[in-house]
Structures are given as C-alpha cells and as structure tokens.
Amino acid sequence: MPRRYHPALVTLHWLLALFLIGALIAGRFILTPQDNADPAKLISFTLHMGLGLTILALMLVRLGVRLGTAHPPRVQTGKALPDRVAPLTHWALYAVAIAMSVSGIVMSRQTGLPDAVFGDGPMPADFDDVPARAVHGVLSMLLMALIALHVAAALWHQFIRRDGLMARMWFGPR
Ligand code: HEM
Ligand code: HEM
C-alpha cells in the first residue's frame, strides 16, 4: 500500500479546498446579501455559478481518481470514535459538496436564472419560495461544519498526535 495519496488526488484535494471554502464564504457573505435588483449581482451570480459548476466537475473527476487509485491504509489512532468517524466524514464531504452543486443547479433552473444571467430573461425577484434554495442553505451550513471538523482533526493529528498525517496528502515518493 502506498504511503501517500495519488498526486492527482493531492492536487484536486488542495485545489478543491480553496474553491469550496471560497464558494462558501463568497456565497454567504457576498452573494446572498446582495439584492437581485442590484446590477452588480449579475457578476456575483456569474462567478458563483461558474465556480459551482467547476467544483461539481472536479469533484466527479476526484471521485473517479479516489476510486481508481491505490491509497494509504486507514489511520489507526487506537481510539474507536475518530477511527470510525474519519472515513464517514470523508465520504460525507464528497456527498455534500456534490449535493451543494446539484441543489444550486436545480434552484437556478427552477427560477430561470441561467436565462437572466447569460441571456435577456427576467431576473427572479428572490428565491424565497424555492425549496432547493432552502436545501442549498442548509447544505452549506452542513458543509462548513464538516470542513471545520475535518480541519480540526487534521490539526489534531499534525500538532497533538504528531503522526505526520499531513504528508499523506502531499507530494513525494509513494
Ligand atoms: C484547508 C484545510 C484542509 C486540511 C488541512 C486538510 C487535510 C487533509 C489531510 C491531512 C488528509 C489526509 C487524511 C488521511 O490520510 O486519512 C485529507 C483527506 C481528505 N480531505 Fe482534506 N483537508 C482540508 C480541506 C478539505 C476540504 C475543504 C475538503 C472538502 C471536500 C476535504 C476533503 C477531504 C477528503 C474527502 C479526504 C480523503 C481523501 C480523498 O478522498 O480525497 N479536505 N485532508
Ligand atoms: C459546491 C458548490 C457550491 C457552494 C459551496 C455554494 C455555496 C453557496 C452559499 C454558501 C450560498 C449562501 C447560502 C445562504 O446564505 O443561505 C449560496 C447561495 C446561492 N447559490 Fe451556491 N454554492 C455552490 C454551487 C452553486 C451552483 C452550481 C449554483 C447554480 C448553478 C448556485 C447558485 C446559488 C444561488 C442562486 C444562491 C442564492 C443567492 C441568493 O440567495 O441571493 N450555487 N451558495
């Protein structure tokens, strides 16, 4: 079994960490507070939707790479809870990140947003009555919580257990 993840997976992990955290922060603190009638929101929508679709495509490629390449053995800390929670968290991160993009696509299609952003269709007044909007909002909080847990676990390994876990998700001889 290799000591590290495949370099393609490492690249995708760090690129997607940047994109996902960026989309979460910009979605919550820039996109949502803007009024749909504000012309500047067009730019925010274009960037957010473009980034969201890129994330979806890269997450699917990453899933293929993860399933198709050899990876290091599961970490055994000797504590039942973290050993069980770690793989669940990893698969939940895949599922929730993909579901975020899918709910964003459903919401935008239900409100005619692509026509408003990329054509000359009318801009929806808001997304208040669209169930996919509520799903997108709840999933975004779940994703933030999962990422916080994941980063806390990585820091715990790196600085408290000092087991060099971070090296598994970095480049080098496998
Ligand atoms: C910026 C903060 C982050 C740090 C410090 C970090 C650190 C790590 C480390 C050290 C591993 C290796 C774990 C092991 O060897 O078992 C890992 C794996 C993983 N990380 Fe992160 N990570 C971060 C952000 C993210 C984000 C935003 C996601 C969201 C998708 C994510 C998803 C995953 C997944 C799914 C794995 C398992 C390997 C895989 O299938 O790609 N990480 N992370
Ligand atoms: C993984 C990818 C994505 C992430 C992390 C993300 C994140 C977010 C966040 C954090 C919010 C604000 C939630 C809130 O305040 O309750 C938001 C709102 C939104 N997102 Fe996404 N999103 C993603 C993908 C997409 C995609 C692919 C689309 C459309 C094609 C989309 C369309 C929207 C729209 C229309 C809003 C509502 C803005 C408003 O209320 O004015 N998102 N997104």
Side-chain angles (χ1 to χ4, degrees):
M1 271 187 182
R3 280 184 296 147
R4 301 174 199 266
Y5 287 94
H6 192 279
L9 196 78
V10 174
T11 308
L12 286 165
H13 173 271
W14 292 110
L15 194 63
L16 277 159
L18 195 71
F19 285 0
L20 278 165
I21 293 170
L24 284 169
I25 292 174
R28 172 59 57 88
F29 297 109
I30 301 174
L31 187 68
T32 299
Q34 270 178 324
D35 196 301
N36 280 16
D38 180 350
K41 190 151 185 182
L42 259 186
I43 300 168
S44 303
F45 275 137
T46 311
L47 294 176
H48 186 81
M49 290 160 78
L51 182 59
L53 293 174
T54 307
I55 288 173
L56 177 60
L58 292 179
M59 281 304 296
L60 294 175
V61 173
R62 174 176 174 180
L63 190 58
V65 175
R66 174 69 174 78
L67 296 173
T69 55
H71 47 84
R74 266 195 199 177
V75 174
Q76 300 293 343
T77 62
K79 298 184 201 309
L81 188 69
D83 287 355
R84 248 187 241 148
V85 169
L88 289 180
T89 309
H90 290 162
W91 291 117
L93 282 164
Y94 276 94
V96 178
I98 291 170
M100 270 294 337
S101 293
V102 172
S103 61
I105 294 169
V106 171
M107 170 197 353
S108 70
R109 287 180 67 94
Q110 282 176 343
T111 53
L113 192 59
D115 288 340
V117 173
F118 304 110
D120 52 7
M123 181 61 83
D126 53 52
F127 306 96
D128 291 354
D129 297 325
V130 186
R133 172 68 182 86
V135 172
H136 202 63
V138 171
L139 286 178
S140 73
M141 285 187 277
L142 183 58
L143 187 56
M144 287 178 203
L146 284 169
I147 293 174
L149 177 67
H150 179 68
V151 173
L155 295 176
W156 176 67
H157 276 281
Q158 192 65 20
F159 296 111
I160 296 181
R161 289 199 81 232
R162 295 175 191 270
D163 54 10
L165 183 91
M166 208 67 90
R168 289 159 53 109
M169 197 37 102
W170 197 247
F171 306 95
R174 295 182 80 208

